[in-house]
């Protein structure tokens, strides 16, 4: 079962990469961007019998290695309708 | 670690004339060592996060037990990142606020001389050591920062040559100009600068040697040398 994990910086933490990209977009004429933050998507194929089981394993992976609680915080996300997987926003 | 590339072996062996041995990331047996050094570099290509994969390797897994049995740990640059990922030190190292990879000399003000790694220094002394990193901004949550201050765990801060903590002296945006910290027991030190690159006059300075000499003094005093 495919699990898509979104890892983002916690609100309030300065995202220097996002700031840099926002500035670059402004230089390209996209001056209507008020904020931009960059995260990363990690797709994990988990051998699980149920969605809940896959989500639990993904949660454990996130806490164990994929995300660090110092700079990111877990936040559940709804399943995308176009795939059979589930997504967890971290 | 795969990807580690900084040379502490030379300094320990040739500048300090002490026995030193390389360990591999899969080694778990740390018996017979007084100190484990996690060097700089790009372990595992900085994949996932700098230090993230190395921080979960067998040799790092063995460190808490090693420290509990009286061992010391020093992590420089990527080594500091690894220690934070392994939760042996609090906080995290993030992308430099300027977004530049900074390879330059820095001045560090010594904040705490009552540690095994700094007992040979003077309070407020300004040391010169190079840095070389793209992800060296020290970050910790407010309550963690408060605890670091309360427990005197901040050991080095980026400063001017006169010892002033200014924004200009801070090469990476680290909170409170923090360059190096210790754990609560004072047995684990992490710092972003490279003391091994300031250990001989030919390198441009010897301030980094003070860290190793301080630790040697501690080991002699606590009888570690007698146990060999």
């Amino acid at each position: 079962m495919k699990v898509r994990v979104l890892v983002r910086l916690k609100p309030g933490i300065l995202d220097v990469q996002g700031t840099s990209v926002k500035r670059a977009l402004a230089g390209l004429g996209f001056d209507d961007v008020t904020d931009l933050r960059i995260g990363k998507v990690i797709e994990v194929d988990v051998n699980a019998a149920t969605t809940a089981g896959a989500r639990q394993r993904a949660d454990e992976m996130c806490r164990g290695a994929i995300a660090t609680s110092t700079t990111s915080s877990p936040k559940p996300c709804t399943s995308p309708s176009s795939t059979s997987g589930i997504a967890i926003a971290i | 670690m795969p990807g580690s590339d900084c040379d502490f072996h030379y300094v320990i062996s040739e500048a300090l004339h002490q026995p030193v041995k390389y360990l591999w990331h899969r080694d778990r047996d740390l018996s017979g060592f007084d100190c484990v050094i996690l060097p700089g570099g790009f372990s595992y290509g900085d994949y996932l996060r700098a230090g993230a994969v190395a921080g979960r390797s067998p040799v790092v897994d063995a460190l808490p037990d090693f420290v509990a049995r009286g061992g010391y740990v020093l992590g420089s640059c990527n080594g500091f990142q690894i220690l934070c990922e392994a939760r042996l030190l609090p906080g995290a190292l993030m992308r430099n606020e300027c977004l530049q990879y900074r390879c330059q000399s820095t001045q560090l003000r010594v904040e705490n001389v009552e540690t095994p790694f700094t007992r040979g220094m003077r309070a407020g002394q300004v040391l010169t050591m190079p840095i070389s990193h793209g992800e060296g901004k020290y970050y910790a949550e407010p309550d963690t920062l408060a605890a670091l201050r309360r427990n005197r765990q901040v050991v080095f801060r980026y400063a001017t040559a006169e010892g002033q903590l200014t924004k200009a002296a801070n090469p990476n945006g680290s909170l409170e100009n923090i360059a190096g910290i210790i754990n609560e027991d004072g047995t684990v030190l992490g710092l972003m600068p490279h003391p091994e690159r300031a250990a001989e006059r030919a390198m441009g300075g010897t301030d980094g040697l003070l860290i190793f000499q301080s630790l040697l003094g501690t080991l002699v005093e606590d009888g570690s040398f007698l146990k060999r």
Side-chain angles (χ1 to χ4, degrees), chain A residues 7 9-10 12-14 16-17 19-20 40 42 63-71, chain B residues 47-49 52 56 84-85 87 90-92 94-99 137 139-141:
Chain A
V7 182
L9 287 173
K10 286 180 183 173
I13 291 184
L14 175 64
V16 290
Q17 287 186 88
T19 304
S20 182
K40 67 174 79 156
I42 298 168
R63 279 152 186 73
I66 290 177
T68 169
S69 60
T70 303
T71 53
Chain B
Y47 294 161
L48 195 59
R49 293 178 305 281
R56 290 152 180 88
C84 288
E85 283 285 340
R87 302 267 193 241
M94 301 177 65
R95 182 73 67 98
N96 291 350
E97 214 161 85
C98 57
L99 281 179
K137 172 183 172 177
Y139 173 85
E141 289 170 325

Side-chain angles (χ1 to χ4, degrees), chain B residues 29-49:
Chain B
D29 184 4
L30 303 181
S31 56
F33 295 104
D34 301 303
C35 180
V36 171
I37 295 176
L38 301 179
F42 299 88
S43 60
Y44 297 92
D46 282 355
Y47 294 161
L48 195 59
R49 293 178 305 281

